[in-house]
Amino acid sequence: MTDFLDRCRALTGANHVLTAADDMAPYLTDWRGRTTGNALAVIRPADANEVAAIVKLCADARVPVVPQGGNTGLVAGSVPDRSGTAVVLSLKRLNRIRAIDPLNNTITVDAGCILEEVQNAATAAGRLFPLSLAAEGSCTIGGNLATNAGGTAVLRYGNMRELCLGLEVVTPQGEKWDGLRGLRKDNTGYDLRDLYIGAEGTLGIITGAVLKLFPQPKACLTALAALRTQDDAVALLASAQALCGAALTGFELMSQFSLALVTKHFPDMRLPFTEEHPQYALLEISDSESEEHATATLEALMSEAMERDLVTDAVVASSIAQSRALWNLREHITLAQAAEGKHIKHDVSIPISDIGRFIGETDNLLAQRFPGCRMLVFGHLGDGNLHYNVSAPEGMNDAQFIEQQEAVNRVVHDSVHRFAGSISAEHGLGELKRDEIRRYKSDTELRLMGVIKQALDPLGLMNPGKVL
Amino acid sequence: MTDFLDRCRALTGANHVLTAADDMAPYLTDWRGRTTGNALAVIRPADANEVAAIVKLCADARVPVVPQGGNTGLVAGSVPDRSGTAVVLSLKRLNRIRAIDPLNNTITVDAGCILEEVQNAATAAGRLFPLSLAAEGSCTIGGNLATNAGGTAVLRYGNMRELCLGLEVVTPQGEKWDGLRGLRKDNTGYDLRDLYIGAEGTLGIITGAVLKLFPQPKACLTALAALRTQDDAVALLASAQALCGAALTGFELMSQFSLALVTKHFPDMRLPFTEEHPQYALLEISDSESEEHATATLEALMSEAMERDLVTDAVVASSIAQSRALWNLREHITLAQAAEGKHIKHDVSIPISDIGRFIGETDNLLAQRFPGCRMLVFGHLGDGNLHYNVSAPEGMNDAQFIEQQEAVNRVVHDSVHRFAGSISAEHGLGELKRDEIRRYKSDTELRLMGVIKQALDPLGLMNPGKVL
């Protein structure tokens, strides 16, 4: 292996082949601290050609490769196993904005670009790159693509898959595939692009991408609606879609308990209602006309919904600052839950029409099996994507609760499966959900995934132990 | 083979295994009459399980399978070769609307459903299924998926790929994969769905799909703008996107010659301008508020564009009827061109910012090489998709002109390639463009396509001679 590492050093320069334990440490533990692995080395190539050359060396020496971007994933998909046989291939030096074409509404970037830098580059060119998620200050475009990231604007703009027009990929054989097309329409063969997107680095390494840009909206405004039930929230979603069309860019559901935890742990934050309500919906519209038009649209929607007795109370933000304050409530749920103590997270999606029944049935099953456990349910209702989290019963100690994690997962995921949902809506499988998915996928689907993996990566060197 | 056909008859009933020449004839010639093949039989299974059983019999007997929907494709992708060894597997009896879920905005359909029936079912449920194209009265959803169909609303709603959430597919081994998910977010493994979409039946047979629905707009209105250049049209597109956001559902470019042929061959049709202009843009907006709001938006856009001297003249439809009349001009271009005589069609896409340069350079190259040839350029500018067609010089006989087809294709496609475009934007490869694409794809991409084909269809029985 000394020989192999020397060849790597010759390619990237010695200072980009890290082997000292201290240097490697930040690359070996996942974001949530769930898994710590070992590596032969951490290699940081400068560009796509160096990535290709390193991967070729790895193939020749039969060294497994774990591609890593910002290492902000939630399912331990970008850290190596404990064997110490793999190299971590960090893409972070591939950080150039290669080109912006405002008239074609495209931006071409290296895979290691930080999401926020891409958003900023788009803004500077008078355009919007709409992917937005909590880790945007440190996650990379390559990781967003490898995990088909979601976030808060999927309702209008789609997942990362829908935001990508073209890719550059280094294959497990160390070839570079130039699929950097900036075209809205191209029907000339198999859709390799979408095969690499969401494959979590197990079929090849994404080194560059052409992403879609959009016009900047004139105003983004929000409203908060108080509701009795989740079904009423689903009905409000349908009204909002009919009235606002594609201007509706966000529709978040938050249970009473979710926001109660926010006001408990962040006493400065306040709900804009005098009474408590069982459910809340946060709506955002992105208006191409004006702030006034946005306000008028949201007000019309809310009055109609109150007349139909769908919504029991509502506030419409009359300024960007008020809009931010409402979003802040939503964004503090995760922090409030962490402050409250240990909890078990689920990232699921369900057909939207079944959301109410799914939550009701699952709540009941958990309450029977784990008396006193507290369900904290919120998420992107417009996409059918719920963060269905479970907090310990009051007074139970954390260790005792976390012992039940697998049993809690089983109840929730079995319920998701009965409702034809997904047990990983936007986080991917990584290492953490790799075994879990085998319970729910058909043999046919697992076989098809297996033959594709075998065909593209016959040596099984790309991010082993993830996805499959 | 008698034994094989007897087994097929036992499965579907004898009257659904056609072997008489007259019975088979409609299935053996492609829509444009470019290719006529032969077949062992035409088999018409009743449902997905029968499709699976027939494909299993074919695999056992090593009989190639050519799946066929409405047989309206433009690249000879759904007819067999001349060997007579294959069966045509017609999906047209799979014609059930399986389910509609308005709150989830999904419709689940058999692959053999006619596109127009799916549009109508959506309308009846108060929703919109936006795919729309000339053959919608006879093409099938399975064919739309297999070719990733485009059409007139891609700018807002995307291609068929973006309109599909889940698939049911029969593999070349005769297994049925149930991927009929109605989810906006699902990150649990490789994207098999997008691999089958656009694969033209060469990797498996799509038997069912879950498609996205949308709210019905309150009004669809159009405007026609007269312009000096294609670059001005591109600038107008950017303005329209900024002002209308996602309400802009169509943006078509038509050259002066395109519309001159329409008024020549359809004397009842008239342009709403007193003078001729070099270029025209047809804009459509789908408004979620009202017809008045739609008119006001288009009028604001056009006045601004005229003030900037981008647009030299413009009409905004003030009614649905006027809107139809403007669309009619666009829709008669193909008919007018056919009336004018033989022509050579190209379905290309180009980065939108390069459209003007591409047309200018290609026009020049063709004019030099084929003096007097007449370029008729129109298409979906909003998607960068041009129908760049070439008519014979006036007075040249058809046969003489068509002899030059390959040489004309070479000039146009080489030019497309130089501009990083696609030589098949929305029609697919089929048999007609299968060799052509090998000139332009990299060895790496062809190798990747090949190993995927080999992995999923190792016997090479699915729609042989198409795509690859």
Side-chain angles (χ1 to χ4, degrees), chain A residues 101-105 127 147-152 154 156 159 161-162 171-173 175-200 202-203 212 215-216 218 234-235 237-238 241-247 288-289 293 297 349-354 380 382-385 419-429 437 441-445 447-453 455-456 466-468, chain B residues 101-105 127 147-152 154 156 159 161-162 171-173 175-200 202-203 212 215-216 218 234-235 237-238 241-247 288-289 293 297 349-354 380 382-385 419-429 437 441-445 447-453 455-456 466-468:
Chain A
D101 184 343
L103 284 178
N104 195 40
N105 276 310
R127 292 291 184 272
T147 60
N148 185 25
T152 55
V154 173
R156 160 66 181 97
N159 294 290
R161 185 181 299 292
E162 283 84 39
T171 71
Q173 294 74 34
E175 303 154 289
K176 193 171 77 173
W177 170 56
D178 180 355
L180 288 173
R181 293 160 197 152
L183 304 172
R184 261 75 186 168
K185 285 185 176 174
D186 176 27
N187 280 343
T188 56
Y190 301 153
D191 183 12
L192 301 175
R193 176 191 68 201
D194 283 305
L195 194 55
Y196 292 115
I197 295 175
E200 304 184 35
T202 63
L203 300 179
K212 282 188 201 167
Q216 288 176 345
K218 296 283 196 309
V234 170
L237 171 65
Q241 288 177 314
L243 191 74
C244 312
S288 52
E289 290 181 43
H293 187 255
T297 305
S349 69
I350 303 289
I352 293 167
S353 43
D354 275 335
H380 318 297
D383 319 315
N385 179 193
F419 281 92
S422 167
I423 67 160
S424 188
E426 55 178 13
H427 296 166
L429 298 177
I437 201 66
K441 293 262 184 212
S442 66
D443 290 345
T444 299
E445 184 157 342
R447 183 187 77 75
L448 290 167
M449 286 171 57
V451 298
I452 288 168
K453 169 74 173 174
L456 293 179
K466 315 296 162 37
V467 182
L468 277 173
Chain B
D101 183 344
L103 285 177
N104 196 41
N105 276 312
R127 292 292 183 272
T147 60
N148 185 26
T152 55
V154 172
R156 161 67 181 96
N159 294 289
R161 185 181 299 293
E162 284 82 40
T171 70
Q173 294 74 36
E175 305 156 288
K176 193 172 76 175
W177 170 54
D178 180 355
L180 287 173
R181 292 159 198 151
L183 304 172
R184 258 80 185 164
K185 285 185 177 174
D186 176 27
N187 279 343
T188 56
Y190 300 153
D191 183 11
L192 301 176
R193 177 190 66 201
D194 283 304
L195 195 53
Y196 292 115
I197 295 175
E200 305 186 32
T202 63
L203 300 178
K212 283 189 200 166
Q216 289 175 344
K218 295 282 195 308
V234 170
L237 171 66
Q241 288 177 313
L243 190 74
C244 313
S288 52
E289 291 181 41
H293 187 256
T297 306
S349 68
I350 303 288
I352 293 167
S353 43
D354 276 335
H380 317 297
D383 318 315
N385 179 192
F419 281 92
S422 167
I423 67 159
S424 188
E426 55 178 13
H427 296 166
L429 297 178
I437 201 65
K441 295 262 183 209
S442 66
D443 289 346
T444 300
E445 183 157 344
R447 183 187 77 75
L448 291 167
M449 286 172 57
V451 298
I452 289 168
K453 170 73 174 176
L456 294 179
K466 315 297 162 36
V467 182
L468 278 172

Side-chain angles (χ1 to χ4, degrees), chain A residues 245-404:
Chain A
L248 185 73
T249 41
F251 195 106
E252 302 284 312
L253 178 72
M254 303 172 285
S255 67
Q256 186 276 329
F257 181 55
S258 312
L259 291 189
L261 281 190
V262 171
T263 49
K264 173 180 170 188
H265 293 283
F266 300 92
D268 287 352
M269 302 194 73
R270 223 166 287 261
L271 289 189
F273 303 119
T274 47
E275 290 170 51
E276 278 195 345
H277 301 268
Q279 303 291 336
Y280 301 93
L282 178 71
L283 290 78
E284 180 187 78
I285 67 172
S286 300
D287 200 288
S288 52
E289 290 181 43
S290 64
E291 205 171 301
E292 296 68 41
H293 187 255
T295 307
T297 305
L298 282 173
E299 281 173 355
L301 173 67
M302 288 303 158
S303 350
E304 190 223 46
M306 289 184 79
E307 268 168 38
R308 288 168 59 201
D309 202 24
L310 208 55
V311 160
T312 47
D313 205 348
V315 289
V316 173
S318 60
S319 68
I320 308 284
Q322 280 187 21
S323 279
R324 275 303 335 149
L326 294 179
W327 262 120
N328 255 336
L329 290 168
R330 163 69 178 83
E331 284 164 2
H332 277 71
I333 295 175
T334 308
L335 299 168
Q337 189 170 27
E340 182 75 4
K342 278 280 179 195
H343 53 278
I344 299 169
K345 288 180 196 288
H346 304 95
D347 164 45
V348 307
S349 69
I350 303 289
I352 293 167
S353 43
D354 275 335
I355 288 277
R357 282 209 304 140
F358 164 78
I359 296 175
E361 284 189 23
T362 314
D363 282 359
N364 283 340
L365 289 168
L366 286 171
Q368 282 165 29
R369 180 92 182 269
F370 309 98
C373 72
R374 296 170 298 163
M375 275 63 81
L376 192 146
V377 181
F378 64 100
H380 318 297
L381 184 69
D383 319 315
N385 179 193
L386 295 177
H387 298 299
Y388 186 103
N389 296 344
V390 185
S391 281
E394 287 192 85
M396 181 185 280
N397 75 53
D398 282 352
Q400 197 185 344
F401 179 62
I402 290 302
E403 267 173 28
Q404 301 178 323

Side-chain angles (χ1 to χ4, degrees), chain B residues 237-258:
Chain B
L237 171 66
S239 290
Q241 288 177 313
L243 190 74
C244 313
L248 185 72
T249 42
F251 195 105
E252 303 284 313
L253 177 72
M254 303 172 286
S255 67
Q256 187 275 330
F257 181 54
S258 312

